[in-house]
Amino acid sequence: MKIIKYFLFINIFIITITYSAFASLEINFNGHYGIAFPFNSIKVNDNYKNTIYDSVDGTLGFEGALFFQVGNYFKLFEDDYTSIIKGVSLFGDIGFSINALMSDYKENDKKYKEFMAFYSMMVGATVKLNFSKMSVGLGAGILAPLYAMESSSKFGGVIASPNLDNWNVNNMRDLFKAPIMPYIKLTVEGFLYLVPNFAVTIGGYMMYNFGMQYKTDVVNNNLGNNIYNKYNFYDLSIGLVLGISLGRSDGYN
């Protein structure tokens, strides 16, 4: 995909500049473990308002990610040891993510559930503002699903594709306008130094996943009727950050 190649180019560029004279290499290995709050944006034709197709409502989910961050740690105010801000880090991110999302929907008085789990490659970039023993980061990137598992208590698959319970890359290309999920995230991490240039990190994160937009003509064809004008999903997640960091030493005493 062109977008994935673009992000990989950015990551390579960020790694390359680590050899500049005023910067030092920093490598992090992180895990994100969180709770997701999914929601949908749906528009149906008038004949299908207040029906099962109009009632899909995101409920809860979870996510996990393991990824590397490789980049530069730029020291600031090097001669001012009283400064609160110690430096800025620029990273390229690459890893693997699992996003599991659940929704409820109802037909007459009976409630059903559906479940979608996406297994995705994660590619992005992060900038962090570093203090003595903590950092605050802002990142962005994409999740590129490689495989997905789906199920519901009514269909074999889910409403959008009731006859298919697993999706590969080609299935998702057919079903979604763009088979990638852009994201933005905010992280706050504390550093516990074991030796100079090596620390255990613990903190929290918040991430907004822009999800994907279904091709409504394909969904309508799957259902055999002209039902949907719009069908998108998103999610907001919060969770725990755990990892290790190599390279920075400003917080070591």
Side-chain angles (χ1 to χ4, degrees):
M1 298 178 190
K2 290 184 178 180
I3 296 179
I4 293 178
K5 290 180 181 178
Y6 174 73
F7 273 96
L8 288 174
F9 172 79
I10 292 177
N11 290 346
I12 293 170
F13 175 77
I14 291 173
I15 293 170
T16 301
I17 66 172
T18 59
Y19 295 99
S20 59
F22 53 86
S24 60
L25 180 67
E26 184 176 353
I27 300 173
N28 298 328
F29 179 69
N30 285 337
H32 285 182
Y33 313 94
I35 299 172
F37 302 94
F39 50 98
N40 303 302
S41 179
I42 292 173
K43 290 183 179 180
V44 298
N45 292 317
D46 290 341
N47 293 339
Y48 294 93
K49 288 184 177 178
N50 302 314
T51 67
I52 184 174
Y53 305 107
D54 193 29
S55 66
V56 184
D57 186 26
T59 54
L60 193 62
F62 64 89
E63 66 182 14
L66 294 174
F67 61 98
F68 283 100
Q69 293 183 315
V70 183
N72 274 337
Y73 177 62
F74 298 90
K75 286 188 177 182
L76 301 177
F77 314 112
E78 191 164 358
D79 297 328
D80 184 0
Y81 297 101
T82 64
S83 175
I84 296 175
I85 300 173
K86 301 300 182 182
V88 174
S89 297
L90 301 177
F91 294 103
D93 302 349
I94 187 165
F96 182 77
S97 172
I98 299 175
N99 301 79
L101 308 175
M102 291 177 280
S103 298
D104 289 341
Y105 54 95
K106 58 186 179 180
E107 185 175 33
N108 299 322
D109 294 326
K110 189 169 183 179
K111 184 178 286 189
Y112 299 94
K113 291 184 178 293
E114 71 175 29
F115 171 82
M116 298 192 300
F118 293 94
Y119 300 82
S120 307
M121 180 181 177
M122 177 181 179
V123 183
T126 301
V127 57
K128 293 183 181 181
L129 189 62
N130 299 313
F131 303 90
S132 179
K133 292 185 177 181
M134 68 171 292
S135 68
V136 177
L138 182 64
I142 60 169
L143 302 174
L146 306 175
Y147 185 75
M149 297 176 61
E150 296 78 34
S151 65
S152 79
S153 54
K154 180 177 175 64
F155 303 107
V158 293
I159 284 183
S161 183
N163 298 316
L164 191 63
D165 58 359
N166 295 312
W167 298 339
N168 58 34
V169 172
N170 289 330
N171 297 142
M172 286 182 276
R173 286 175 178 169
D174 292 339
L175 193 56
F176 296 102
K177 292 183 178 180
I180 58 172
M181 297 183 285
Y183 70 84
I184 55 173
K185 67 177 179 177
L186 176 69
T187 59
V188 178
E189 299 168 79
F191 291 74
L192 175 62
Y193 284 88
L194 304 180
V195 295
N197 301 310
F198 180 82
V200 174
T201 61
I202 184 170
Y205 77 94
M206 178 181 294
M207 186 168 86
Y208 183 78
N209 181 344
F210 290 86
M212 293 189 286
Q213 302 179 34
Y214 287 100
K215 295 178 180 177
T216 53
D217 56 337
V218 175
V219 174
N220 290 335
N221 183 65
N222 291 340
L223 297 172
N225 289 291
N226 186 26
I227 298 170
Y228 286 105
N229 290 318
K230 179 182 179 183
Y231 195 160
N232 307 338
F233 70 87
Y234 320 85
D235 76 79
L236 177 69
S237 58
I238 57 173
L240 182 67
V241 178
L242 292 174
I244 58 174
S245 178
L246 301 168
R248 56 174 283 182
S249 60
D250 282 340
Y252 181 77
N253 295 319

